[in-house]
Amino acid sequence: MRYIVNSREMNLYDSRTIEEFHMPQAVLMERAALSFVETLRREKRNTSRTLVVCGSGNNGGDGYAIARMLMQAGNTVDVLEAPHTGKVSVGNQLQKKIFLAYGGKILTKFPEGKSYTLVIDAVFGVGLSRSVEGEYASLIDRMNAMEGAKTAVDIASGISADNGNVLGTAFRADLTVTFAFEKVGCLLWPGNQYAGKVVVADIGITPDAFGERKPAVAALEDADLSLLAARESHSNKGTFGRLLVIAGSPGMSGAAYLCAKAAYASGCGLVRIFTPEENRAILQTQLPEAVITAYSSKKAEAPLLSEAMSWADTIVCGPGIGTTDAAAGMVRTVIKNAAVPVLLDADALNVIAKDTNLLLLPHTELVVTPHLGEMSRLTGDSVAYLQNHLIEAADEFARQYNVICVLKDEHTATAIPYSQTWLNVSGNAGLATAGSGDVLSGIIGGLMAQGIRVEQAAPLGVYLHGKAGEAAGARRSMRGMTASDIHDGMCEILAGLEQTQSQPGKDGIS
C-alpha cells in the first residue's frame, strides 16, 4: 500500500517534520534538489543548457537549489524569476542568496530566442488554489512553447494537487519529480496528462509525520495481493464461496456470462446465474460450470428468487437485466431482503436512480459500482463535475448512503464510508471496452463470496481488474482488447501469484 496526499496533507506533514522532528527547512530543500538532480541523471535528461523558472514560494526555493547544483556540475543554467508582488518565502530567499553567492545569474525578462535542452518548472508547487491568470498564465504558456524537454518540480504549475484540475492554464511536463509522497493531482485526469512520468523522491518526510492524521487516499500495490491467501489443500467447492449473479435479459446473456466467468476466475467455488429462460441454453453452452436458475422474462417468481438468495454467500445484481418493471422488482427484492453482502451494478443502478432512497433499506453490506454516467443519474451531477471531483463525489455518496462506492474512471476511486479511500493505479486504456464492467463486478463479487472482507474485496477487485487489463494488453494489445481477454489476463495474474506464494497471505489493507 502506498499513500497519496493532497495539498493540505502535504503541507501538514512538511510542517510536522520541521517543527516536531526538528528537521531544518533548508535541509529538506537541499535533499529535494539533490533528489531532483539525481532523477534527471537517472532518467538521462540532457541538462547541458537548462532554464529554471522560479516562483516566490518554497517551490521556487527548490528551483534555485536545483539550478545551483546543475551549474556546479558544469551545465549552462539560466534562472528566470517569475513576476511577483507578494512576499517571498524564507526558504526561497535563502536559496536565492546561495545561488547568487556561487556566481549564479538571474534573468528578469523572458529569454527570447534562446534554445534550451531542458526547461524546469518551479513556479507554484502543491499549494496553488487560485486560477493562473495574467502574467503568470502568459509565462507558463511561453514555457510550454519552448523547445526542449520539460520537467516539473513536485507538481506541474497550474494543476490542483487536490483533484488534478487545470487552474486556468498549466505547465505541460514530460517528467514530474514529486517529493515524499505522490500527489492526488498527479494521478487524476486531467492533471496526469500534464505530469508526464511521475517519480517520487525521498527527501526525509516520512510516515512518522502523519501522527493521527493519515492521508485520506491510498493505492494498492502488488504486495497487497497477499490478501489472496494460498488455497487450502483440504477443501471443496463450497469452501470458496457461493455467488449468486442476477444478470442478463433476453438478448443480453453476455453480461451474465462475463460476470459469472470472472467470478470463477477470481477463485469463487460456485456461481449460480439467475437469468431469463431465454438465456438458459446459451449460458449452459458458454459456461457449463455455472448453475442456471431461469425465470420467465415477464416476471421473476418471488419464491424462486428468494430461494436463490438464501443459497448465496454474496449477490451481484444488475448486469444486463434491463429496467423493466420485472427487473425493477428484482432489484427492490434484493435490496430489501438480502441477508448477505450485495454488489449493485449497471441496470440495478439505473433502477435505483429513480429512487435512491432504496439504498437506505438494506440490512447488509452494500457495494455500488457506477461509471460516471450512472453516477450522474444517481446524483444529478454532471459527468464533467464528477470527473473533476472524482474522490469527493465517491466519498460523499458512500457516507450519504452508507455504501462502498466504486466510482469507475481512468483511476477508479473506491470510497469506504468514514474510512480509507482507495485510488486505483493499475490498468490501461484497453479496459475501456464493452463488458469490462461486468468482469469487474464478477471479480469483486467472487472475492466477497470467498470471505474477503467487503471493504477489502472492493479495492482489491478493482486493482486485480486493472492488472488483468495490463496482462491482456501486453499479450494482445490495448486497441483490440475485449472483456474476455481481461478474464484471461486475470488468470495470468493469479497463476503468477500462485507460483510465488509459499504461505497463506496476511491482511495487506489496514
Side-chain angles (χ1 to χ4, degrees):
M1 178 179 72
R2 66 183 196 254
Y3 288 107
I4 304 167
V5 303
N6 59 34
S7 61
R8 296 175 301 281
E9 291 166 341
M10 192 64 244
N11 288 333
L12 173 63
Y13 304 148
D14 183 83
S15 297
R16 281 181 173 170
T17 300
I18 294 169
E19 295 167 8
E20 297 180 21
F21 294 93
H22 313 294
M23 178 75 75
Q25 184 182 65
V27 173
L28 292 177
M29 280 192 169
E30 288 294 300
R31 293 190 64 168
L34 281 167
S35 62
F36 189 96
V37 172
E38 172 59 22
T39 301
L40 293 178
R41 184 198 64 77
R42 193 169 57 248
E43 295 291 323
K44 297 181 170 55
R45 302 297 160 126
N46 185 349
T47 58
S48 58
R49 299 188 313 280
T50 297
L51 174 67
V52 185
V53 185
C54 296
S56 58
N58 288 340
N59 193 250
D62 293 335
Y64 284 118
I66 291 164
R68 167 175 38 95
M69 293 177 187
L70 289 175
M71 181 179 68
Q72 290 175 319
N75 300 283
T76 298
V77 181
D78 286 342
V79 170
L80 175 63
E81 187 175 61
H84 63 87
T85 56
K87 69 176 185 178
V88 179
S89 74
V90 173
N92 185 293
Q93 293 178 53
L94 174 61
Q95 291 295 346
K96 180 179 178 179
K97 185 183 295 184
I98 297 172
F99 175 71
L100 291 171
Y102 275 96
K105 304 296 182 184
I106 297 176
L107 305 177
T108 56
K109 293 183 178 180
F110 197 87
E112 302 286 357
K114 293 196 71 171
S115 175
Y116 297 96
T117 58
L118 179 66
V119 178
I120 296 176
D121 161 35
V123 179
F124 287 125
V126 301
L128 183 68
S129 59
R130 65 187 186 278
S131 181
V132 178
E133 301 172 342
E135 288 183 292
Y136 284 116
S138 176
L139 173 61
I140 289 175
D141 289 342
R142 294 172 83 177
M143 291 164 62
N144 285 334
M146 298 183 78
E147 294 182 357
K150 311 289 197 305
T151 303
V153 178
D154 212 11
I155 192 168
S157 290
I159 295 298
S160 167
D162 299 331
N163 52 32
N165 289 348
V166 177
L167 301 174
T169 190
F171 183 73
R172 283 192 174 273
D174 49 63
L175 171 68
T176 296
V177 182
T178 195
F179 303 133
F181 307 102
E182 287 174 283
K183 312 304 184 295
V184 172
C186 290
L187 289 173
L188 290 183
W189 185 90
N192 58 0
Q193 301 299 303
Y194 289 77
K197 180 179 180 179
V198 178
V199 176
V200 181
D202 176 19
I203 65 171
I205 301 175
T206 69
D208 295 309
F210 294 167
E212 296 181 356
R213 186 173 170 183
K214 291 195 304 184
V217 178
L220 294 181
E221 302 177 284
D222 286 353
D224 295 299
L225 294 178
S226 62
L227 278 168
L228 297 172
R231 290 167 79 95
E232 298 289 342
S233 60
H234 185 72
S235 57
N236 58 65
K237 57 182 180 286
T239 305
F240 304 112
R242 297 174 295 185
L243 175 66
L244 175 63
V245 174
I246 302 173
S249 57
M252 288 287 289
S253 63
Y257 164 73
L258 291 168
C259 183
K261 189 175 182 182
Y264 272 128
S266 77
C268 186
L270 283 165
V271 180
R272 183 173 180 177
I273 303 175
F274 193 80
T275 194
E277 183 64 45
E278 291 89 336
N279 295 335
R280 181 193 293 275
I282 298 171
L283 291 171
Q284 285 180 329
T285 302
Q286 286 185 311
L287 194 65
E289 300 90 343
V291 177
I292 308 297
T293 299
Y295 63 89
S296 168
S297 58
K298 294 181 180 180
K299 183 178 181 181
E301 297 85 349
L304 196 64
L305 180 56
S306 295
E307 185 277 325
M309 290 170 59
S310 66
W311 168 89
D313 296 316
T314 297
I315 299 169
V316 170
C317 177
I321 64 173
T323 56
T324 63
D325 289 344
M330 285 194 300
V331 172
R332 286 192 292 269
T333 297
V334 169
I335 289 175
K336 291 178 180 179
N337 299 313
V340 296
V342 174
L343 184 150
L344 300 173
D345 183 32
D347 285 327
L349 300 177
N350 293 328
V351 168
I352 291 166
K354 299 174 183 178
D355 181 11
T356 53
N357 286 328
L358 287 170
L359 292 174
L360 301 174
L361 299 178
H363 304 287
T364 184
E365 295 168 298
L366 194 62
V367 179
V368 296
T369 58
H371 56 56
L372 293 178
E374 291 160 348
M375 191 66 163
S376 178
R377 290 188 283 275
L378 286 167
T379 64
D381 295 319
S382 70
V383 169
Y385 173 85
L386 294 169
Q387 197 161 45
N388 289 327
H389 300 82
L390 190 79
I391 293 174
E392 300 97 312
D395 285 344
E396 182 179 349
F397 196 86
R399 290 193 298 269
Q400 181 177 358
Y401 295 102
N402 196 34
V403 300
I404 293 175
C405 180
V406 179
L407 183 51
K408 297 181 289 192
D409 196 28
E410 178 183 0
H411 291 295
T412 294
T414 301
I416 317 297
Y418 302 101
S419 184
Q420 191 77 62
T421 296
W422 301 93
L423 189 62
N424 188 56
V425 294
S426 67
N428 55 31
L431 292 168
T433 187
S436 178
D438 302 323
V439 173
L440 174 61
S441 293
I443 293 171
I444 297 175
L447 296 177
M448 289 161 58
Q450 291 172 71
I452 296 176
R453 297 204 315 265
V454 178
E455 63 269 24
Q456 296 175 331
L460 181 62
V462 174
Y463 184 72
L464 279 169
H465 182 256
K467 295 295 289 185
E470 292 173 10
R475 175 172 35 83
R476 166 123 188 201
S477 85
M478 290 187 291
R479 192 178 298 273
M481 193 187 303
T482 66
S484 293
D485 295 322
I486 303 169
H487 164 271
D488 295 341
M490 178 78 171
C491 294
E492 290 181 35
I493 295 298
L494 294 184
L497 175 65
E498 289 176 359
Q499 289 175 6
T500 59
Q501 210 168 38
S502 59
Q503 60 182 10
K506 60 182 180 180
D507 189 348
I509 303 179
S510 59

